[in-house]
């Protein structure tokens, strides 16, 4: 389409930043929300080092194979100097080797799986990690809900879900000191719509809580079916639930569903957060919630701008080095310091509950490791 | 010895055009390998891999007439073999972080070529197991059974955590980027297919496609013939899968969903069932075409603020074009023809005569 | 010496007994015919002999001679069709079954697949053995096409041939398998009397030139009576008569069930 | 690993199996019907099913039509869509080889999926709730949604109607005739285009009914929602003997029950659930190469 | 009744029929003979528009048929017994007969009875799927099925192909019976001898052109016809 005037981003008057998101396919909702955050940030801060920042958006179609091509395209054809994204850890991981071998820095926005940044000096992230998230939810289940027996339902074909379920299991068995605290584990595949079989089994084990991390669509259907089967215990999950579709599909049945997430718009932790919320509301006056992943999209872009400024150039290697040394950067979702792994050091997560069809703040859980 | 040399000389003399063409192709690849940018290189590599897999599929579906839809599964076997055996041992514990790799495999690392060929053989081995019961089935039944097996393979890979790392997939596979691997192997596969098709074995394939009962009555063993074609196809597909893994650097079960097979089916139909050259052309057209249409996904300022160009449009246009080809070029680009020198010469002649006729009629029109 | 024998062969489809207690005995070098009303079970008998169907009961015994000229009796009932062809029985089909999209030459070449003596790998690598094998096969097939008057059509698609030539091609293809016994299922169907006459001569020549034993189903009585040594008559699956043409033509049972009273002869 | 199971859990699983199986059956009938006449695996069937779901969603949630009006419109529109697809994508290929037709079907499926993704976005839409159908009734620890009872009733009713049409009516006879030989059917005076169009319309109508019931039970509408049901129902049709209406129902039930019971008895193997369909399929095909009720293909040599 | 003039038909590049003129008067038996591939079947198939004709005209009671839908033509009372039988293999014998009368709305009982009388074999097998019938049985069924529509013009493409001598005789008798009852018949036969005997008028077709025509008797006695089509059994006499 509208490619820039020259092929090298260094000596032209635009700086190209790739946004690598699922805009079609199963994860499109999440991808769109992140993209909105990045675009909002770009509107507010369209320039750095006196040059215009141009976003190049690539759709990875929620598909790993497409993801590699899309990432390669951003780097090799569009010559971006950095990449933001992608929603969905597996999609980010698919791009991992490509950014690494091309030495282009990338920032994962809401991808929580540890593998995204592990052993990859070019991938950074602005959100917390699954081991942390798993611990948060295990704490919530054990301490707040007082659960002794937990059932787990995981989406086996989704590494995010499997990973989170595992970290939760580890944390919960440790907390409760009961090796058999997980009374049943059910598996399903992405795209499944019928969970009655698994849920009937779970019902028979009569758990106190069900932990069911996974895609929002499947999870909403799962909760509906659980309620229809007469399962009344709390059902909790992870950050991926926080999308509008979770509520529209789940309807009355997802009332009371609890999940961990990154950001609470009613109570932004920083000044930057307040600005972000205000700008968001200005742009989308009729939206009720500010989605957490949108805030992360905003943070990713802003952190990148900060790094470019500090690097004083749009050279990918310089940007990477600047990113790696980010300390106490004030983002919308909190103060970010990048650690040796490339991850944002975060020690608190927000817990939200669905109440009256809205994601409502419940608690902030801080865990010191 | 002398005899052989003579006939080799005669062979060269007879096929000098082909030989020259092959040499040119090799030179072309060499030049491309030096100068093409890395994005284009990736696309070319992908096209070559698609050629390999589509050609193997055409062997069974186009030439032997057995409607088999197991390609994705065989690719998965090849891809995972390469992934499992070439991932650096040191990285394995971080990749298999949920459940450690089975100790039996954890320390085996093979050179790429060995893993690639092993993948081919494993794939053929599985094809053998699948083929014995399945190849007795006919038409659509065979199709759904092979599709089923390919899905079963994928589901097994999703669930055998300690071998395949389950849904997490395997990343950090050492990648290839030179064009020689993919194009070299594609060339070998093309030539092997071509020679095979024009031998007695290839004719046996075709006879089974045309009429099983008559073929059997002519002494062609149905089972053996179908199996041979199925095994060769699976072997090459496995190799193609291995290259695919090495190109992407990451594998995961979802890549090998049964819809992947449809891509190859589209390619062979687009190129012409039972045409080797058609398959090759279509592989490149489809892979490069999908990329070429990508501008449709990007918002375009047309003055008006009509959001026609947005993600998804590319695939709509692509599938629409595909329908157009299916509906208007029923036999695909090449039908069952091959792009031989004669074919080109005939085409050239017919186009030329059409032009001269046109010119003649135009002149006629003038003189009136 | 008998080349093909069936012993009490019965072939049943659901409730229909298509072939009932068939006992035939074809001597080497003879030309036998199988006639009978429609649906009598003639084609079914051929299908049992060539392995398309496994008989419900009974045996089919074939005694091919090997290279050294020694004959040994083999029970072929229930064997796979390609195995049976390999032993030396070839056939044509009542409803022509050519490889319709392939060329005339390819059709015949396929029938030589049985006798190729080079391996699959040497085919891919085009070893000299494979190339020689190919050349020999081609020469043989061209010779056969020549004999059947099809050589000028060798590059045509089989399906584009007129009906009569398709029948000729079927015979050429069967011959290419090197048979000792050739089964022809209504070779003259769809031919006019003149063409039938030509075919009669052709079959007779083929038999002597290729040292064949022929077993033939036909409804053209002129042809059958002229060249058969031995005739079997089926009706409702049962053998109602066997004998030489003269005996058959005058057998009242056959006349009643099949031949009818020939008016042409009467007036 | 087999878990000890209480009777009520077992009964609950049977109910789950019945309602899932009858849904499969309902969609499989449409598949089988088209296959029976055109000998074409209509790969687009699952996507026609998806489009029906969107029609209904738009009718109720966007245009605020009453549900009964929406249902009728949905079924009619879907029938029209089916017949339209036949007209555009299959009719021009009447004389072409079967593979072209099959590819065309895959192409249509591709096109519908991409079009839906483009037009309706990849995000799930919530299908409106039907509390009458979904509010569970609890009977001694068992939970039964009314829709779970309605589905099998509808499936059996439609099966009976269809069997009557195919076997007892003149149109049905014409359908069977068209299925083997267009030219000869024309010679009998049969308007084959009409027969084929109506076959498609009926098949698509069945998909629409299936979609309505499906969405009541699983209320999310997505562009790719037809892929898995499409594949499974095709398998169901093959298990039962493709082309055979009773077989489709039988296959659907077998599939539904075995999926649910496998989850019930082998909870540790739930990850293999999607393989169940294929394993059953392959086992059945090995012993009955034409499916359970499929008749042997007669080929006279 | 039927008048064809200057009909040309081609399959792709192959010209199968190259401009023929032919007439079938009402109430007559007209036969078309000629060697394999002469274009006989093609002529009949183009009359019912199963193959598209290139040029010429086909008029039926003065009405142009060319370009009409096959079903429309059949509706006008023309039917064809196709070469190679083409019975519906998955329908029973009885259903095959019924479908022959697809266009009719009245009772079929009598017709079926009549056909069973002509071919008792069909009555015995009325429950059987047509696909499993023997070749001859299928031929009987194909003829029976065509008669079910009570055509005004019945065209038969080699009805005696592959039939036992007795049945062949039967078929020719039936043709004559039908003709006496007022049906017009256009017949293709390899069995030229029998065909010419019952034909009122005959045409000889060679590579797409009519080379001879005349009454059945005339052609039967024509030396060149004897030479080319009647075989030696005829010559011997
Ligand atoms: N596969 C089959 N299933 C059921 N019945 C069959 C099958 N094959 C043949 N038959 C029946 O067996 C009988 C004998 O058929 P066959 O084809 O052998 O007859 P034929 O003697 O060759 O007759 P024709 O001269 O008409 O070809 C027929 O009644 C036929 O219907
Ligand atoms: N579908 C077709 N495609 C191409 N060529 C065809 C086709 N059908 C017939 N032909 C050719 O058209 C010519 C006339 O064929 P047609 O079937 O009309 O002959 P016929 O007189 O009926 O012969 P026969 O006695 O063998 O039935 C032949 O050369 C034949 O090869
Ligand atoms: Mg027969
Ligand atoms: Mg003919």
């Amino acid at each position: 389409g509208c490619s820039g005037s020259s092929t090298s981003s260094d000596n032209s008057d635009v700086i190209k930043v790739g946004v690598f998101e699922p805009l079609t396919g199963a994860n499109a909702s999440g991808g769109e929300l992140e993209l909105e955050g990045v675009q909002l940030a770009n509107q507010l801060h369209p320039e750095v080092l006196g040059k215009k920042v141009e976003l190049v958006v690539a759709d990875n179609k929620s598909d790993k194979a497409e993801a590699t091509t899309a990432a390669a395209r951003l780097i090799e054809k569009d010559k971006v100097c950095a990449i933001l994204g992608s929603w969905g850890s597996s999609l980010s991981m698919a791009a991992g080797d490509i950014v690494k071998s091309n030495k282009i820095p990338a920032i994962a926005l809401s991808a929580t799986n540890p593998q995204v940044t592990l052993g990859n000096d070019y991938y950074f992230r602005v959100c917390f990690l699954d081991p942390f998230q798993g611990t948060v939810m295990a704490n919530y289940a054990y301490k707040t809900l007082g659960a002794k027996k937990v059932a787990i339902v995981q989406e086996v074909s989704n590494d995010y879900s499997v990973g989170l379920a595992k970290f939760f299991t580890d944390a919960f068995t440790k907390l409760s000191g009961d090796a058999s605290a997980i009374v049943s584990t059910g598996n399903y595949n992405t795209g499944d719509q019928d969970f009655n079989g698994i849920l009937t089994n779970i019902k028979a084990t009569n758990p106190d809580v069900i932990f069911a991390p996974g895609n929002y669509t499947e999870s909403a259907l799962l909760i509906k079916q659980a309620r229809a089967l007469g399962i009344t215990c709390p059902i909790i999950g992870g950050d991926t639930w926080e999308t509008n579709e979770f509520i529209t599909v789940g309807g009355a049945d997802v009332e009371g569903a609890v999940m961990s997430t990154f950001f609470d718009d009613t109570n932004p932790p920083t000044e930057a957060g307040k600005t972000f919320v205000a700008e968001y509301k200005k742009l989308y006056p009729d939206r009720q919630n500010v989605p957490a992943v949108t805030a992360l999209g905003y943070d990713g872009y802003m952190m990148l701008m900060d790094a470019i400024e500090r690097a004083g150039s749009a050279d990918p290697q310089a940007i990477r080095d600047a990113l790696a040394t980010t300390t106490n950067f004030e983002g919308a979702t909190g103060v970010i310091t990048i650690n040796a792994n490339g991850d944002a050091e975060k020690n608190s997560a927000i817990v939200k509950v669905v109440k009256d069809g809205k994601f409502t703040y419940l608690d902030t859980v801080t865990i010191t490791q | 010895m002398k005899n052989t040399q003579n006939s080799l000389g005669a062979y060269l003399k007879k096929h000098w055009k082909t030989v020259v063409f092959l040499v040119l192709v090799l030179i072309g690849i060499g030049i491309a390998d030096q100068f093409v940018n890395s994005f284009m290189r990736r696309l070319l590599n992908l096209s070559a891999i698609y050629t390999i897999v589509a050609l193997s599929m055409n062997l069974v579906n186009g030439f032997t007439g057995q409607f088999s839809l197991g390609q994705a599964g065989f690719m998965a076997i090849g891809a995972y073999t390469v992934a499992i055996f070439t991932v650096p041992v040191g990285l394995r514990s971080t990749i298999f972080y949920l459940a450690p790799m089975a100790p039996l495999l954890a320390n085996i690392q093979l050179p790429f070529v060995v893993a690639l060929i092993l993948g081919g053989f494993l794939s053929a081995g599985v094809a053998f197991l699948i083929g014995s019961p399945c190849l007795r089935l006919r038409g659509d039944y065979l199709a759904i059974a092979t599709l089923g097996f390919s899905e079963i393979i994928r589901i097994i890979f999703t669930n055998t955590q300690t071998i395949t790392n389950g849904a997490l997939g395997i990343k950090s596979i050492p990648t290839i980027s030179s064009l020689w691997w993919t194009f070299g192997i594609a060339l070998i596969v093309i030539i092997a297919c071509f020679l095979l098709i024009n031998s007695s074995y290839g004719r046996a394939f075709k006879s089974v496609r045309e009429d099983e009962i008559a073929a059997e009555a002519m002494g062609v063993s149905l089972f053996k013939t179908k199996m041979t074609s199925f095994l060769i196809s699976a072997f090459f597909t496995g190799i193609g899968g291995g290259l695919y893994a090495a190109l992407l650097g990451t594998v995961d079960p979802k890549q090998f969903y049964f819809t992947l097979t449809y891509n190859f089916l589209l390619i062979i139909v687009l190129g012409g069932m039972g045409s080797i050259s058609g398959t090759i052309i279509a592989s490149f057209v489809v892979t490069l075409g999908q990329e070429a249409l990508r501008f449709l996904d990007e918002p375009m300022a047309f003055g008006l603020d009509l959001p026609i160009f947005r993600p998804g449009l590319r695939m709509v246009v692509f599938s629409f074009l595909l329908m157009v080809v299916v509906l208007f070029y029923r036999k695909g680009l090449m039908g069952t023809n091959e792009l031989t020198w004669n074919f080109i010469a005939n085409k050239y002649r017919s186009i030329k005569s059409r032009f001269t006729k046109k010119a003649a009629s135009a002149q006629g029109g003038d003189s009136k | 010496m008998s080349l093909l024998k069936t012993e009490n062969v019965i072939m049943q489809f659901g409730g229909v007994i298509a072939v009932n207690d068939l006992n035939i005995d074809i001597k080497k070098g003879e030309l036998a015919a199988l006639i009978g009303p429609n649906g009598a079970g003639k084609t079914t008998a051929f299908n049992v002999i060539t392995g398309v169907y496994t008989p419900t009961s009974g045996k089919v015994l074939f005694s091919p001679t090997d290279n050294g000229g020694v004959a040994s009796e083999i029970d072929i009932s229930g064997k796979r069709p390609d195995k049976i062809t390999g032993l030396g029985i070839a056939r044509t089909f009542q409803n022509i079954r050519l490889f319709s999209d392939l060329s005339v030459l390819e059709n015949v070449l396929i029938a030589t697949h049985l006798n190729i003596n080079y391996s699959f790998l040497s085919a891919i690598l085009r070893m000299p053995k494979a190339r020689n094998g190919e050349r020999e096969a081609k020469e043989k097939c061209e010779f056969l096409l020549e004999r059947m008057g099809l050589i000028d059509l060798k590059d045509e698609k089989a399906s584009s041939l007129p009906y009569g030539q398709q029948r000729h091609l079927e015979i050429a293809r069967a011959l290419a398998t090197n048979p000792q016994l050739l089964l022809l299922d209504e070779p003259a169907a769809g031919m006019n009397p003149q063409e039938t006459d030509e075919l009669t001569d052709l079959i007779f020549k083929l038999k002597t030139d290729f040292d064949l034993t022929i077993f033939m189903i036909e409804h053209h009585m002129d042809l059958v009576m002229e060249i058969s040594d031995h005739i079997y008559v089926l009706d409702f699956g049962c053998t109602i008569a066997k004998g030489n043409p003269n005996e058959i033509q005058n057998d009242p049972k056959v006349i009643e069930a099949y031949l009818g009273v020939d008016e042409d002869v009467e007036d | 690993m087999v878990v000890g199971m209480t009777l009520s859990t077992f009964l609950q699983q049977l109910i789950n199996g019945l309602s899932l199986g009858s849904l499969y059956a309902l969609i499989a009938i449409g598949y089988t019907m088209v296959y029976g006449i055109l000998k074409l695996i209509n790969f687009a069937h699952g996507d026609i099913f998806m489009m029906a779901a969107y029609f209904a969603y738009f009718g109720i949630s966007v245009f605020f039509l009453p549900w009964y009006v929406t249902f009728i419109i949905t079924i009619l529109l879907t029938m029209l869509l089916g017949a339209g697809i036949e007209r555009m994508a299959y009719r021009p290929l009447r004389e072409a080889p079967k593979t072209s037709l099959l590819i065309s079907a895959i192409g249509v499926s591709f096109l519908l999926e991409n079009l839906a993704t483009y037009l309706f976005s990849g995000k799930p839409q919530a299908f409106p709730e039907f509390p009458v159908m979904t509010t569970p009734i609890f009977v001694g620890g068992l939970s039964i949604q009314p829709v779970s009872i309605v589905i099998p009733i509808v499936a059996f009713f439609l099966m009976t109607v269809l069997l009557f049409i195919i076997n007892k009516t003149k149109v049905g006879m014409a359908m069977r005739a068209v299925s083997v030989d267009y030219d000869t059917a024309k010679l009998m005076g049969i308007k084959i285009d009409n027969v084929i169009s109506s076959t498609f319309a009926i098949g698509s109508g069945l998909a629409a009914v299936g979609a309505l019931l499906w969405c009541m039970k699983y209320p999310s509408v997505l562009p790719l929602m037809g892929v898995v049901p499409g594949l499974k129902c095709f398998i169901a049709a093959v298990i039962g003997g493709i082309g055979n209406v009773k077989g489709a129902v039988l296959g659907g039930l077998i599939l539904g029950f075995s999926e649910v019971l496998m989850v019930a008895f082998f909870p540790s193997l739930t990850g293999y659930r999607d393989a169940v369909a294929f394993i059953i399929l392959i086992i059945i095909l090995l012993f009955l190469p034409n499916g359970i009720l499929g008749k042997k293909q007669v080929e006279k040599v | 009744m039927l008048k064809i003039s200057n009909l040309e038909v081609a399959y792709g590049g192959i010209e199968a029929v190259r401009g023929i003129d032919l007439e079938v008067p009402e109430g007559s038996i007209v036969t078309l003979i000629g060697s394999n591939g002469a274009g006989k079947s093609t002529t009949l198939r183009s009359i019912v528009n199963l193959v598209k004709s290139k040029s010429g005209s086909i008029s039926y009671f003065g009405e142009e048929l060319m370009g009409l839908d096959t079903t429309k033509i059949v509706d006008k009372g023309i039917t064809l017994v196709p070469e190679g039988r083409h019975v519906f293999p998955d329908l029973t014998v009885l259903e095959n007969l019924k479908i022959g009368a697809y266009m009719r709305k009245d009772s079929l009982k009598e017709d079926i009875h009549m056909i069973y009388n002509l071919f008792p074999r069909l009555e015995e097998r009325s429950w059987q799927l047509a696909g499993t019938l023997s070749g001859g049985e299928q031929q009987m069924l194909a003829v029976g099925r065509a008669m079910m529509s009570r055509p005004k013009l019945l065209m038969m493409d080699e009805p005696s192909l592959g039939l036992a001598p007795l049945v062949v005789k039967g078929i020719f008798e039936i043709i004559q019976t039908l003709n006496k009852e007022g049906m017009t018949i256009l017949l293709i036969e390899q069995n030229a001898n029998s065909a010419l005997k019952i034909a009122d008028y005959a045409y000889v077709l060679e590579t797409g052109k009519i080379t001879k025509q005349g009454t059945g008797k005339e052609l039967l006695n024509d030396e060149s016809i004897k030479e080319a089509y009647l075989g030696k059994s005829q010559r011997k006499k």
Side-chain angles (χ1 to χ4, degrees), chain D residues 98-238:
Chain D
K98 220 179 97 181
T99 39
S100 309
L101 212 61
L102 202 82
I103 300 303
S104 192
I106 294 179
V108 170
S109 154
F110 232 59
L111 185 62
L112 286 179
E113 284 165 18
N114 289 324
L115 205 62
T117 307
Y118 175 72
L119 293 177
F120 314 135
S121 92
K123 292 185 275 185
Q125 309 289 352
F127 196 77
E129 303 233 2
F130 288 84
V132 198
M133 296 295 256
T134 51
T135 313
I137 306 163
F138 290 94
V139 190
L142 291 184
S143 136
I144 304 172
Q145 287 180 309
V147 69
S148 303
I149 298 169
V150 172
I151 294 169
I153 294 174
V154 173
F156 279 98
F157 173 72
L158 290 178
M159 176 188 86
T160 318
V161 171
L162 216 59
L163 281 176
F164 179 80
I165 295 179
I166 293 178
N167 292 323
K168 294 279 147 59
T169 65
K170 221 166 145 175
V171 182
M173 199 160 73
M175 284 176 173
R176 283 180 291 149
V178 167
S179 77
V180 276
D181 189 341
Y182 295 156
D183 275 357
T184 314
K186 277 193 220 160
L187 276 180
M188 303 297 118
I190 299 170
K191 297 198 176 70
I192 60 164
D193 286 340
N194 293 0
V195 171
I196 293 175
S197 294
S198 27
T199 309
F200 262 87
I202 297 175
S204 307
L206 289 166
V209 176
L212 292 171
L213 292 167
W214 183 281
C215 289
M216 283 185 199
K217 205 162 151 52
Y218 311 113
S220 83
V221 183
L222 273 164
L224 296 184
M225 68 182 285
V227 178
V228 171
L231 187 64
K232 289 212 177 139
C233 295
F234 174 52
I235 293 172
V238 174

Side-chain angles (χ1 to χ4, degrees), chain E residues 41 83 157-158:
Chain E
S41 307
E83 185 175 25
D157 197 344
E158 304 198 23

Side-chain angles (χ1 to χ4, degrees), chain C residues 160-163 190, chain E residues 11 14 16 34-42 83 158 190:
Chain C
S160 73
L161 296 191
Y163 194 80
Chain E
Y11 297 100
I14 310 165
S35 52
N36 290 129
K40 306 182 296 294
S41 307
T42 307
E83 185 175 25
E158 304 198 23
Q190 291 292 356

Side-chain angles (χ1 to χ4, degrees), chain B residues 67 69 133-134 136-149 151-152 154-156 158-160 211 213 257-259 262-263 265-266 269 273 290 307-313 315-320 322-323 326-327 330-331, chain D residues 35 39-41 43 88-90 92-93 95-100 102-104 106-108 110-111 114-115 117-120 227-228 231 234-235 238 241-242 270-275 278-279 281-282 285-286 289-291 294 297 299 301:
Chain B
F67 191 18
L69 294 178
C134 278
R136 287 170 219 286
L137 300 170
R138 275 186 205 203
D140 302 327
Y141 290 95
L142 175 63
I144 187 74
T146 44
L147 188 149
F149 268 117
E151 277 292 275
I152 290 175
R154 183 183 66 84
I155 292 167
I156 290 175
T158 314
N159 287 282
T160 45
D211 188 331
I213 289 172
Y257 205 52
F258 69 90
T259 41
Y262 291 171
N263 290 348
L265 194 61
L266 293 176
V269 169
M273 280 264 200
Q290 279 204 24
I308 297 174
F309 289 87
R310 61 168 197 255
L313 181 62
M315 289 314 288
V316 174
V317 172
F318 180 74
S319 31
F320 185 76
L322 200 109
M323 286 304 300
V326 171
L327 291 177
R330 284 173 208 175
K331 290 187 168 164
Chain D
Y35 185 91
K39 297 282 174 288
L40 162 74
I41 307 177
F43 276 102
M88 306 298 290
Y90 302 150
L93 298 176
E95 319 276 316
K98 220 179 97 181
T99 39
S100 309
L102 202 82
I103 300 303
S104 192
I106 294 179
V108 170
F110 232 59
L111 185 62
N114 289 324
L115 205 62
T117 307
Y118 175 72
L119 293 177
F120 314 135
V227 178
V228 171
L231 187 64
F234 174 52
I235 293 172
V238 174
I242 193 152
T270 45
Y272 288 95
R273 172 174 170 166
D274 281 350
F278 293 106
I279 291 169
L281 169 85
I282 287 161
L285 284 188
L286 286 187
N290 300 297
Q297 277 165 340
E299 181 165 27
V301 179

Side-chain angles (χ1 to χ4, degrees), chain E residues 172-191:
Chain E
F172 282 107
E173 274 161 22
I174 288 161
I175 293 174
Q176 281 173 297
T177 319
L178 292 175
N179 180 246
K180 284 207 184 91
E181 283 168 9
M183 205 177 281
T184 312
I185 287 168
L186 176 54
L187 176 70
I188 293 184
E189 255 309 327
Q190 291 292 356
N191 199 335

Side-chain angles (χ1 to χ4, degrees), chain A residues 64 76 97 113 115 156 159, chain B residues 38-39 94 97 167-168 172 252:
Chain A
K64 266 194 182 178
E76 294 163 357
D97 286 331
N113 191 296
Q115 291 285 305
V156 278
D159 31 13
Chain B
S38 51
F39 180 67
T94 57
Y97 68 99
L168 308 183
S172 304
D252 124 61

Side-chain angles (χ1 to χ4, degrees), chain A residues 21 34 82-86 92 105-110 122-126 296 299-301 303-305 307 323 338:
Chain A
E21 291 290 350
E34 280 192 7
I83 290 179
L84 298 171
S86 154
S92 307
I107 303 174
L109 306 170
S110 69
Y122 288 84
Y123 234 118
F124 300 88
R125 91 174 96 205
V126 291
L296 288 172
D299 277 3
Y301 180 86
M303 187 170 97
L304 179 64
M305 291 307 119
L323 276 174
I338 296 293

